[in-house]
C-alpha cells in the first residue's frame, strides 16, 4: 500500500501570540475575526486519474477540483488544521498533513508534482498595496522538471535579448517577492532560469492599478513547456488560466521512402535530412494547426504529404511517418513526458507497420500487451530502471496470436526517470524498431 506523503507547507508570516490567543480591541473585547482564516486550493497535479478532493479535519472542504482549477476562498477556523488530499474515486490519500492558520489571513494550498510523487505548497496570501499607478506580481514555481525559471513581464513583442527578467531564478517550490510595475498592457514570458530559452508565452493583458497577482508556473505533460495560472488577491480569490501559446513536436521517419526527408512548417524549412529510423528533437512552434509538409532531400519543392495537425497549447506531439512515397501517411501522437520516479522508466509502444493489423508485445519474454492495433499507441508502461547505469530489457513483437516473434529487440537500455517510445515500422517481412527517448 502506498505510504501517505506529508504535505510541505511554506509560511510567510510567523505566528504571533495575538494570532493564537485572540486580538484585543483595547476595550477588553476580543475581535471575533481572528478566529477565522480563508483558504483556497489550486490543483496542479497533471496526471491524476480524476479531480482532487480535499478534507479538513476529516470533513469535506472542497471536492471535484480538476487540474488547473482553483477554488475560491472559503472561511476556516484558525489554528492547527489537518488536511488530506485524495483523487476522486480512491479511498487513499495522496497527501496528508497539519497546518497552522493565522486568523484574518488568506492562504492558497497548491498540490503539485505527479500523482506518484505529489507534494504541496501552502502560500500566505498577505499583500501590500503597490500604490497609485502600479500593480504587483510575484511568482510561484511548482513546475517539476525545471530547475528554476525567469519571468519577463514586458510590453507585447519586446525583444527579450535586450531585457532582464523582472523575476529571476525562482526554484521549484520557491516563491518570489512581489515586484511593483507600472500599470499597462503586458505580455508574460517564462524562460528556463539563466537562459533566454522560452518555455511559456502568453497573450497580452492589461493590469490595473492597486492590483496584486500571483503567477503560478506548473508542469504540463511536456518535456519542456509549462503552464501558467494567474491568482488574484481579491475578496473571493478569483483566478484565470492563460494557455501557453507554444507547442512542440518531433518527427520520426519510419517510411520506406529511399531519400532522407525534409520537414517544412508553414512553407518554411524546419528539419532536413531525416534518415529512415531517425527521429528529430522536439521543435518549438506556435500552438494551433500549422501546415506541415514532407519532402525528400532528392526532390525539394515536391511535397509527398501535407498535414495540419492540432498542436495543443503547451503540449508535446510525435509525428510518425510511414509507407512508401506514393502513399506516405502520418500518425500524430500526443506525448506524455511527465517524468516517472527516478527508479522507473516509462515506455510507449507504437504499431506503425504497413500490414500487421495487431501486434502482441513481450517484455523479457512475458506478454504485456495483446492486440496493439495498427496505427495506434499503447499507454505508457513503467519498468524498473537504474537512473545511472541503466537496465537492459528485451522487447519482442509478434503478429497477434502467433508464437513466433516477427521482431526482436534484445538489448534496449532504459534509464530511470526517462520516457521512451518504441515504434515498430515496415512490412511483416522487413520489420524494424525505432527507439526514441522523449524527455
Amino acid at each position: 500500500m502506498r505510504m501517505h506523503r506529508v504535505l510541505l507547507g511554506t509560511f510567510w508570516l510567523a505566528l504571533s501570540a495575538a494570532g493564537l490567543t485572540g486580538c484585543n480591541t483595547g476595550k477588553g473585547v476580543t475581535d471575533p475575526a481572528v478566529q477565522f482564516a480563508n483558504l483556497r486550493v489550486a490543483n496542479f497535479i497533471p496526471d491524476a486519474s480524476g479531480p482532487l478532493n480535499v478534507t479538513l479535519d476529516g470533513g469535506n472542504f472542497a471536492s471535484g477540483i480538476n487540474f488547473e482549477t482553483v477554488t475560491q476562498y472559503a472561511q476556516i477556523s484558525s489554528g492547527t488544521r489537518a488536511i488530506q488530499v485524495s483523487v476522486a474515486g480512491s479511498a487513499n490519500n495522496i497527501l496528508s498533513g497539519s497546518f497552522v492558520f493565522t486568523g484574518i489571513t488568506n492562504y492558497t494550498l497548491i498540490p503539485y508534482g505527479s500523482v506518484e510523487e505529489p507534494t504541496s505548497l501552502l502560500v500566505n496570501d498577505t499583500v501590500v498595496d503597490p500604490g497609485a499607478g502600479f500593480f504587483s506580481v510575484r511568482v510561484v514555481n511548482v513546475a517539476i522538471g525545471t530547475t528554476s525559471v525567469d519571468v519577463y513581464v514586458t510590453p507585447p513583442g519586446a525583444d527579450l535579448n535586450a531585457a532582464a527578467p523582472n523575476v529571476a531564478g525562482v526554484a521549484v517550490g520557491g516563491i518570489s517577492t512581489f515586484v511593483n510595475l507600472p500599470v499597462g498592457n503586458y505580455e508574460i514570458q517564462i524562460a528556463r532560469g539563466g537562459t533566454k530559452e522560452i518555455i511559456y508565452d502568453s497573450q497580452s493583458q492589461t493590469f490595473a492599478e492597486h492590483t496584486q497577482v500571483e503567477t503560478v508556473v506548473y508542469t504540463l505533460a511536456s518535456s519542456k513547456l509549462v503552464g501558467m495560472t494567474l491568482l488574484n488577491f481579491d475578496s473571493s480569490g478569483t483566478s484565470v488560466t492563460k494557455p501557453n501559446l507554444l507547442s512542440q513536436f518531433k518527427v520520426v521517419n519510419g517510411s520506406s521512402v529511399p531519400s532522407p526527408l525534409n520537414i517544412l512548417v508553414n512553407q518554411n524549412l524546419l528539419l532536413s535530412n531525416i534518415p529512415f529510423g531517425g527521429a528529430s528533437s522536439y521543435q518549438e512552434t506556435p500552438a494551433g494547426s500549422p501546415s506541415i509538409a514532407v519532402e525528400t532531400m532528392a526532390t525539394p519543392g515536391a511535397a509527398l504529404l501535407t498535414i495540419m495537425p492540432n498542436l495543443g497549447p503547451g503540449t508535446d506531439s510525435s509525428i510518425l511517418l510511414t509507407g512508401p512515397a506514393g502513399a506516405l501517411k502520418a500518425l500524430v501522437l500526443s506525448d506524455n513526458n511527465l517524468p516517472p520516479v527516478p527508479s522507473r522508466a516509462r515506455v510507449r509502444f507504437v504499431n506503425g507497420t504497413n500490414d500487421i493489423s495487431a501486434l502482441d508485445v513481450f517484455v523479457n519474454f512475458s506478454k504485456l500487451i495483446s492486440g496493439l492495433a495498427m496505427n495506434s499507441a499503447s499507454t505508457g508502461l513503467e519498468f524498473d530502471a537504474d537512473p545511472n547505469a541503466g537496465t537492459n530489457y528485451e522487447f519482442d513483437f509478434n503478429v497477434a496470436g502467433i508464437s513466433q516473434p516477427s521482431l526482436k529487440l534484445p538489448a534496449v537500455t532504459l534509464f530511470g526517470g526517462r520516457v521512451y517510445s518504441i515504434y515498430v515500422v515496415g512490412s511483416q517481412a522487413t520489420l524494424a524498431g525505432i527507439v526514441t527517448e522523449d524527455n
Side-chain angles (χ1 to χ4, degrees), residues 28-65:
V29 179
T30 299
D31 184 353
V34 78
Q35 302 174 33
F36 301 102
N38 291 305
L39 176 65
R40 61 182 171 183
V41 180
N43 175 9
F44 295 119
I45 297 180
D47 64 336
S49 59
L52 300 185
N53 296 334
V54 179
T55 63
L56 185 70
D57 293 338
N60 179 61
F61 175 74
S63 58
I65 310 171

Side-chain angles (χ1 to χ4, degrees), residues 367-386:
K367 185 194 291 187
L368 293 189
I369 298 176
S370 297
L372 179 62
M374 187 189 304
N375 296 322
S376 71
S378 72
T379 57
L381 301 181
E382 293 195 359
F383 303 95
D384 292 331
D386 188 290

Side-chain angles (χ1 to χ4, degrees), residues 356 359 396-399 402 404-408 428-432:
I356 302 178
L359 286 170
D396 298 335
F397 301 88
N398 300 16
V399 176
I402 303 300
Q404 182 68 27
S406 297
L407 175 66
K408 296 172 69 70
Q428 183 173 348
T430 58
L431 290 182

Side-chain angles (χ1 to χ4, degrees), residues 290-431:
S291 174
I292 299 178
V294 183
E295 300 177 352
T296 67
M297 285 283 291
T299 56
L304 301 178
L305 175 70
T306 300
I307 60 173
M308 297 183 68
N310 180 26
L311 304 179
T315 62
D316 294 352
S317 300
S318 291
I319 302 175
L320 173 64
L321 301 174
T322 59
L328 193 65
K329 56 187 178 182
L331 176 63
V332 182
L333 301 170
S334 296
D335 299 345
N336 174 17
N337 287 327
L338 190 71
V341 298
S343 61
R344 308 273 286 175
R346 185 185 311 121
V347 182
R348 173 180 65 180
F349 301 93
V350 182
N351 181 353
T353 64
N354 297 326
D355 56 0
I356 302 178
S357 60
L359 286 170
D360 293 339
V361 181
F362 291 75
V363 180
N364 289 346
F365 314 106
S366 177
K367 185 194 291 187
L368 293 189
I369 298 176
S370 297
L372 179 62
M374 187 189 304
N375 296 322
S376 71
S378 72
T379 57
L381 301 181
E382 293 195 359
F383 303 95
D384 292 331
D386 188 290
N388 299 311
T391 302
N392 285 343
Y393 284 86
E394 174 158 336
F395 298 99
D396 298 335
F397 301 88
N398 300 16
V399 176
I402 303 300
S403 59
Q404 182 68 27
S406 297
L407 175 66
K408 296 172 69 70
L409 302 178
V412 177
T413 304
L414 305 179
F415 289 87
R418 310 281 181 87
V419 179
Y420 300 86
S421 293
I422 299 180
Y423 301 87
V424 182
V425 298
S427 300
Q428 183 173 348
T430 58
L431 290 182

